[in-house]
């Protein structure tokens, strides 16, 4: 294995750092090892407060940026030791960083990911590539989602109309249709509202298997209000995040729904995620090829959510990316290894039909190891 890249992703769920070692000598490229590093609680609390408020002091922001850089570097170094690999065997690291704000539709569009990549390169001795989104935005794109181009490279199949669904904090899709331009976009809240609600009421980070939601009932009136959000009427390309779908947003929606049981809210939030996804996929129902949905991300572990997707999409083959060689927990990390590979070879890595950029460009800033 001489063409090894590491991809690192920490997403909106703030649960930790996913790491994937990808071998690009294989065709298609494959994940040969993976790892997960939990987010330290003190850092998670700082990031949660920052994301919820959108405000901070510059000193505080700089310290979090530094802490994240150290977290990524330590995760890589531990992983290399566990796998008996040296830094010299890794061509490059692709590190997404931690998104703290994403505002593609403002007067001055911007996106901000933090985590000092200089520290990652210095502490690991591996060339590191970060800041993947801003070049796409400079070209007029949304800066997201970036993963569809990777999905197309690895999972496209001429015998099927394929949609890859990532259910992380936010749900997003990649639409892989033979002989058609690639499209992909965010479709709504994934796990973020469910995770925030159960943490507030049960002190748990997430609803394992959807068990708590299963104990409740869908409130159809609340569900209708949740779905009555202008984002769902926007046409693609579009992207969203916790800037919109957060507890403040949910609290406003709950204001006219009094005396609801907490577990009923949780069940309704799960239905909200499932229905918003299904509504989007119903628009593809005229496809002549068999339709398959490949689910990845943390939501793929939610048994009730998967049940609801299968029930709402009876004509689709619903499975997970694990069945096609990409473990559900590490698809996004593998994508950033691919983005790093593309950058090191100066190959295009955005998809203008997905992000709305004026042209295809090679994304990412290279931070040399020395």
């Amino acid at each position: 294995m001489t063409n090894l890249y590491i991809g690192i992703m920490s997403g909106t769920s703030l649960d930790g750092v996913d790491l994937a070692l990808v071998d690009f000598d294989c065709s298609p490229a494959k994940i040969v090892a993976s790892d997960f590093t939990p987010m330290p609680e003190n850092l998670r609390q700082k990031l949660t407060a920052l994301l919820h408020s959108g405000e901070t002091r510059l000193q505080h922001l700089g310290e979090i940026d530094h802490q994240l850089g150290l977290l990524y570097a330590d995760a890589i170094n531990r992983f290399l030791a566990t796998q008996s690999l040296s830094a010299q065997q890794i061509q490059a690291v692709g590190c997404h960083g931690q998104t703290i704000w994403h505002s593609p539709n403002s007067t001055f569009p911007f996106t901000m990911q933090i985590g000092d990549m200089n520290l990652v390169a210095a502490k690991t001795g591996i060339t590191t590539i970060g800041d993947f989104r801003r070049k796409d935005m400079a070209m007029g794109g949304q800066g997201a989602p970036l993963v569809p181009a990777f999905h197309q490279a690895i999972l496209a199949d001429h015998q099927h109309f394929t949609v890859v669904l990532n259910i992380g904090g936010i749900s997003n899709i990649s639409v892989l249709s033979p002989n058609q331009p690639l499209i992909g976009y965010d479709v709504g809240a994934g796990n973020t509202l469910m995770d925030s609600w159960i943490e507030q009421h049960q002190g748990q980070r997430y609803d394992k298997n959807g068990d708590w939601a299963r104990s409740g009932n869908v409130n159809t009136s609340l569900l209708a209000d949740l779905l009555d959000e202008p984002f769902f009427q926007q046409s693609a390309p579009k992207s969203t995040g916790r800037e919109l779908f957060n507890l403040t947003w949910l609290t406003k929606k709950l204001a006219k729904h009094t005396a609801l049981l907490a577990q009923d809210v949780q069940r309704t939030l799960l239905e909200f995620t499932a229905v918003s996804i299904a509504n989007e996929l119903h628009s593809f129902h005229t496809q002549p090829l068999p339709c398959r949905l490949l689910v990845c991300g943390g939501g793929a572990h939610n048994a009730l959510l998967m049940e609801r997707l299968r029930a709402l999409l009876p004509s689709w083959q619903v499975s997970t990316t694990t069945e096609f060689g990409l473990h559900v927990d590490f698809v996004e990390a593998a994508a950033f290894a691919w983005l790093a590979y593309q950058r090191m070879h100066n190959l295009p890595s955005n998809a203008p039909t997905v992000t709305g950029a004026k042209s295809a460009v090679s994304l990412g800033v290279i931070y040399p190891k020395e």
Side-chain angles (χ1 to χ4, degrees), residues 5 129 135 338-349 360-364 366:
Y5 285 71
I129 300 165
K135 184 64 173 288
W338 179 82
L339 285 161
Y341 175 89
Q342 295 294 99
R343 185 69 189 93
M344 291 294 283
H345 293 83
N346 201 31
L347 297 170
S349 49
V361 290
S362 192
L363 303 177
I366 299 173

Side-chain angles (χ1 to χ4, degrees), residues 2-190:
T2 59
N3 216 358
L4 297 176
Y5 285 71
I6 288 175
I8 291 189
M9 177 72 191
S10 59
T12 53
S13 62
L14 302 179
D15 56 347
V17 178
D18 295 324
L19 187 154
L21 178 68
V22 180
D23 184 0
F24 286 94
D25 281 334
C26 300
S27 183
K30 69 174 184 178
I31 299 173
V32 293
S34 57
D35 197 15
F36 173 77
T37 299
M39 183 76 71
E41 182 58 28
N42 69 327
L43 182 55
R44 193 184 79 88
Q45 289 178 1
K46 292 176 184 177
L47 285 166
T48 299
L50 176 58
L51 288 170
H52 284 172
S53 69
E55 298 179 354
T56 188
R57 293 178 294 108
L58 288 176
Q59 177 75 23
H60 191 55
L61 180 63
E63 290 174 356
I64 296 176
D65 180 61
H66 189 102
Q67 287 179 270
L68 280 166
L70 293 178
L71 176 65
Y72 298 141
D74 289 346
I76 293 167
N77 288 332
R78 283 195 302 271
F79 174 77
L80 292 176
T82 301
Q83 297 294 322
S84 299
L85 291 167
S86 67
Q88 290 70 34
Q89 291 174 273
I90 309 301
Q91 300 300 313
V93 168
C95 185
H96 172 262
Q98 181 65 53
T99 297
I100 58 170
W101 207 255
H102 184 68
S103 184
N105 300 314
S106 55
T107 303
F108 301 100
F110 74 97
T111 186
M112 185 176 292
Q113 288 75 41
I114 60 173
D116 189 343
M117 300 301 149
N118 294 286
L119 276 175
V120 177
K123 297 288 185 181
T124 64
I126 305 171
T127 295
T128 300
I129 300 165
D131 194 6
F132 287 98
R133 299 187 185 276
R134 292 199 294 176
K135 184 64 173 288
D136 182 84
M137 294 187 78
M139 300 302 293
Q142 292 265 315
L146 300 183
V147 178
F150 169 70
H151 290 158
Q152 185 179 53
I154 305 298
L155 294 168
D157 175 3
H158 289 291
Q159 303 303 313
H160 293 85
F161 177 82
T162 302
V163 172
V164 183
L165 167 66
N166 174 62
I167 310 177
I170 299 298
S171 295
N172 53 68
I173 59 172
S174 303
V175 182
L176 315 178
S177 179
N179 305 314
Q180 295 293 323
L182 171 67
I183 59 175
Y185 49 95
D186 290 346
V187 296

Side-chain angles (χ1 to χ4, degrees), residues 260-279:
L260 289 181
L261 296 175
Q263 61 266 34
D264 290 346
V265 175
Q266 184 75 1
R267 177 65 183 85
T268 306
L269 290 174
L270 185 144
E271 195 71 8
F272 171 55
T273 293
V275 170
S276 61
I277 291 166
N279 284 349

Side-chain angles (χ1 to χ4, degrees), residues 227-296:
L227 291 166
D228 185 27
E229 167 58 48
F231 172 80
F232 297 114
Q233 307 308 317
Q234 295 176 24
S235 57
K238 60 180 180 177
S239 57
T240 189
R242 290 174 64 152
E243 302 81 20
L244 173 61
F245 294 111
N246 53 44
L247 279 178
T248 300
W249 179 86
L250 178 59
T251 300
K252 291 177 182 177
K253 295 288 187 179
L254 287 170
K256 64 179 181 179
H257 300 275
T258 57
L260 289 181
L261 296 175
Q263 61 266 34
D264 290 346
V265 175
Q266 184 75 1
R267 177 65 183 85
T268 306
L269 290 174
L270 185 144
E271 195 71 8
F272 171 55
T273 293
V275 170
S276 61
I277 291 166
N279 284 349
E280 203 64 48
L281 297 190
H282 287 321
S283 64
F284 303 117
H285 73 282
T286 58
Q287 294 300 319
L289 293 173
C291 294
R292 66 177 189 177
L293 179 66
L294 308 183
V295 185
C296 59

Side-chain angles (χ1 to χ4, degrees), residues 293-370:
L293 179 66
L294 308 183
V295 185
C296 59
H301 296 295
N302 188 317
L304 179 57
L305 182 54
M306 292 295 290
E307 286 174 24
R308 293 304 300 142
L309 288 173
R310 291 188 172 97
L312 292 165
L313 299 164
S315 63
W316 288 68
Q317 304 168 20
V318 180
S319 55
T320 70
T321 57
T322 299
E323 298 170 48
F324 294 85
L326 290 175
H327 191 286
V328 295
D329 290 334
F330 299 102
V331 174
E332 284 201 292
F336 282 92
W338 179 82
L339 285 161
Y341 175 89
Q342 295 294 99
R343 185 69 189 93
M344 291 294 283
H345 293 83
N346 201 31
L347 297 170
S349 49
N350 65 333
T353 55
V354 172
T355 67
K358 290 179 288 188
S359 62
V361 290
S362 192
L363 303 177
V365 176
I366 299 173
Y367 297 80
K369 59 187 175 183
E370 57 187 22

